[in-house]
Amino acid sequence: MTVAARTADLTGGRPVVPSRGVLRPLGLSEVRITGGFWAQRQATNGRATLDHGREWMDKLGWTGNFTAEVGHGSAERRGREFSDSEVYKLIEAMSWETGRQADPARDAEITELTAMIASAQAEDGYLHTAFGRSGQRARYGDLAWGHELYCAGHLLQASVARARTSGDDALLNVARRVADHVCEEFGPAGRDAVCGHPEIEPGLVELFRATGEQRYLDQAALFVARRGRRTLPRHEFGWAYFSDDIPVREAKVLRGHAVRALYLAAGVVDLAVETGDDELLETVAAQFDRTLARRTYLTGGMGSRHLDEAFSDDFVLPADRAYSETCAGIAAIMVAWRLMLATGQERYADVIERILYNVVATAIGDDGRSFFYAHTLHQRSLTPVLPGDVEQLGFGGGPRAPWFEVSCCLANTARMLASLSTYVASADDDGLRVHQYADADLDTTLADGRRVGLRMRTGYPDDGTVGIEVTAAEPGPWTLALRLPSWAAGATVTVNGQPQPVSGDRAVLRRDFAVGDRIVLALPMRPRFTRPDPRIDAVRGCVAVEQGPVVLCAESVGGALDLDSLRVDAGTDPAADGGVTVRGLTEELPERQWPYADAGPVGQRTTRDVPLVPYHRWARSGPSTMRVWLPTT
């Protein structure tokens, strides 16, 4: 990337800025979400979630770890070894938020936090509050669990976000010193090692993109090349837990700890794009595609093992033990977005949409001050709501909690929501592509320098009608492409009332657009049954219901309805009349001394129409039982 291009990007506000690829991402200055489903959540994020995160990090001492008087005494250091990274992710979220909507108070807060972080940096650039000081463990003495490079990676990403939304390079200067130290310590003549938690890899590549410093890209390549040689200590969950079991180029699927595997995949895509290594790009794309096909939940959630927060074997996707960590969902969006920019394949936007509506939207409470860490798809029992000031650590399917000892998911969700408009659309050599549907205003320039503008308005995802008005257009033809979701058979498109041909994964409209032209995309929103691959033993004989991009579930607030006795009639289509319902029955079964017999028990059956709710709405009205996959009659 040229110096001019890097300078122009400083105010663009884009989380990912590849130097090559089929698509060019648009920044916060080019796309603004203005209303509807996601604007409401962005407002809550900016108004409540960011402050909530700061309050808890202050209360627990995580921010205080950086101050000189506290940071230099190991006895005063508080939080887990990775708590520094939560502060960095919070700063990244704040940076995107100030790029989305100017806020002098928030800007001052970032400046304050930056000064605190800078005060804790060693003379040689090393920065971590849990290691290397008097009374603390030695630097890099525990690469498997110390998270030193992991935290550094999040700092690099936060610094790039700050620079790209404000032009302020104070945090970027701290990050460059960290990266220079890492290159010295782990370069060709340094430690032949990797971190137990991948994250430094995408951080280094993005810092290279922001600064043009080649050594950062080279160091990312070196870390990726070292993966899979089992240099980390043997672990009870195997080397796959650390993504250190198989060299990246030899692996066929993502495995081990889901967040670690996905962060590494994001960094590998970045590396392949910047080095022009198409073979490496194809390799990681194939790994991700196989993971989508065999190891991903209906919601787009990833990771089905609680014990090690990990992927399991192919088709091992139990609904009641779904782990599906929020951070894994966000990491999967990071991978899908990078692959779509590199390849132009619209199906990755389908993946992003699925995760956004069914993981990200599910994670945060309506107040913005409570959240899910994991996402079960079947909650069997009621879990009481704990007081809002109780710190708790629990990864089950209970109520959203105000905080966790491991609270990576809140700051991760905050940075995703704050930067969400950058995932709405992109540009290619011929025009614009719209990937996600929301109330939004777009104003950008095409590859040939012509200015174009769009105003998009919709009730999506509750309504499938998307209206787009051209608000700026200079003379000459260009292409507007609209994603056709894989579930949207029968979609129609009109331009100024005239029907247009529709086929494939996007509607491609090429013409000499004029200001005032109106495009209407109509997506069918009928609720539909979805059936699992028969190899998914855990939900064989069940169906789920989806409506548009939203997964639905049966919920019983207070446990009034025994959902485990529910059977649905999959031969009768779901009804949508003021709400989605399915025809089914419940059966009150007799108690027995032994739960097995040559013939199943028969109880009193009650036929009923069962209302369904969006999965992202469950557990918002008090303790409830819930299930996504419904056994059939």
Side-chain angles (χ1 to χ4, degrees), residues 43 70-71 127 167 203 231 260 301 307 312 316 325 328 343 434 461 472 479 515 523 533 549 613:
V70 173
L127 180 54
T231 57
R260 297 170 196 244
L307 186 63
S312 191
V316 179
E325 184 183 338
T343 68
V434 177
T479 298
V515 172
L523 301 171
D533 187 296
V613 299

Side-chain angles (χ1 to χ4, degrees), residues 379-383 385 400 553-563 610-614 617-627:
Q379 180 67 22
R380 296 179 181 274
S381 59
L382 300 176
T383 305
V385 177
R400 293 167 183 83
C553 66
E555 182 186 29
S556 178
V557 178
L561 175 64
D562 181 8
L563 295 181
V610 180
L612 304 180
V613 299
R617 293 301 310 166
W618 92 274
R620 295 184 188 271
S621 302
S624 65
T625 58
M626 177 275 300
R627 65 185 305 161

Side-chain angles (χ1 to χ4, degrees), residues 512-534:
D512 190 347
F513 287 100
V515 172
D517 281 350
R518 180 167 175 77
I519 300 98
V520 177
L521 170 66
L523 301 171
M525 303 296 283
R526 297 181 298 275
R528 61 195 185 277
F529 281 124
T530 298
R531 292 165 174 79
D533 187 296

Side-chain angles (χ1 to χ4, degrees), residues 136-158:
Q136 294 182 331
R137 289 178 289 170
R139 297 178 181 181
Y140 307 121
D142 185 6
L143 283 169
W145 295 103
H147 289 76
E148 290 159 279
L149 295 177
Y150 166 81
C151 290
H154 278 303
L155 171 61
L156 305 190
Q157 289 183 321

Side-chain angles (χ1 to χ4, degrees), residues 368-615:
R369 295 177 175 270
S370 58
F371 63 104
F372 280 148
Y373 186 104
H375 295 269
T376 184
L377 273 64
H378 183 181
Q379 180 67 22
R380 296 179 181 274
S381 59
L382 300 176
T383 305
V385 177
L386 298 177
D389 60 350
V390 174
E391 179 188 356
Q392 60 171 311
L393 178 62
F395 300 146
R400 293 167 183 83
W403 201 254
F404 293 93
E405 180 185 359
V406 181
S407 278
C408 47
C409 296
L410 179 133
N412 229 346
T413 305
R415 66 174 180 159
M416 173 56 63
L417 288 174
S419 62
L420 187 60
S421 67
T422 66
Y423 297 86
V424 168
S426 67
D428 59 21
D429 289 341
D430 200 38
L432 295 181
R433 289 200 200 180
V434 177
H435 308 294
Q436 306 299 333
Y437 299 116
D439 283 5
D441 292 340
L442 286 72
D443 194 321
T444 188
T445 55
L446 302 178
D448 60 9
R450 286 180 295 161
R451 177 171 170 252
V452 296
L454 300 175
R455 180 183 296 119
M456 179 163 52
R457 298 294 182 265
T458 178
Y460 199 80
D462 298 325
D463 188 315
T465 301
V466 182
I468 298 175
E469 181 182 354
V470 178
T471 56
E474 297 181 25
W478 54 278
T479 298
L480 174 62
L482 309 177
R483 178 177 62 94
L484 300 176
S486 59
W487 48 262
T492 62
V493 177
T494 62
V495 177
N496 298 329
Q498 299 300 311
Q500 305 296 312
V502 172
S503 64
D505 60 3
R506 59 185 180 272
V508 180
L509 310 173
R510 180 166 180 79
R511 59 192 294 139
D512 190 347
F513 287 100
V515 172
D517 281 350
R518 180 167 175 77
I519 300 98
V520 177
L521 170 66
L523 301 171
M525 303 296 283
R526 297 181 298 275
R528 61 195 185 277
F529 281 124
T530 298
R531 292 165 174 79
D533 187 296
R535 291 168 288 187
I536 306 176
D537 287 336
V539 292
R540 185 180 290 134
C542 296
V543 294
V545 180
E546 298 179 86
Q547 187 173 30
V550 175
V551 173
L552 304 181
C553 66
E555 182 186 29
S556 178
V557 178
L561 175 64
D562 181 8
L563 295 181
D564 287 342
S565 74
L566 176 65
R567 306 289 182 271
V568 301
D569 177 8
T572 301
D573 290 338
D577 185 11
V580 178
T581 61
V582 291
R583 180 69 53 82
L585 59 84
T586 54
E587 187 173 13
E588 187 175 344
L589 297 173
E591 292 293 333
R592 301 193 302 174
Q593 293 182 332
W594 183 243
Y596 310 99
D598 57 356
V602 177
Q604 181 176 352
R605 297 181 176 183
T606 303
T607 302
R608 61 175 73 234
D609 289 330
V610 180
L612 304 180
V613 299
Y615 176 70

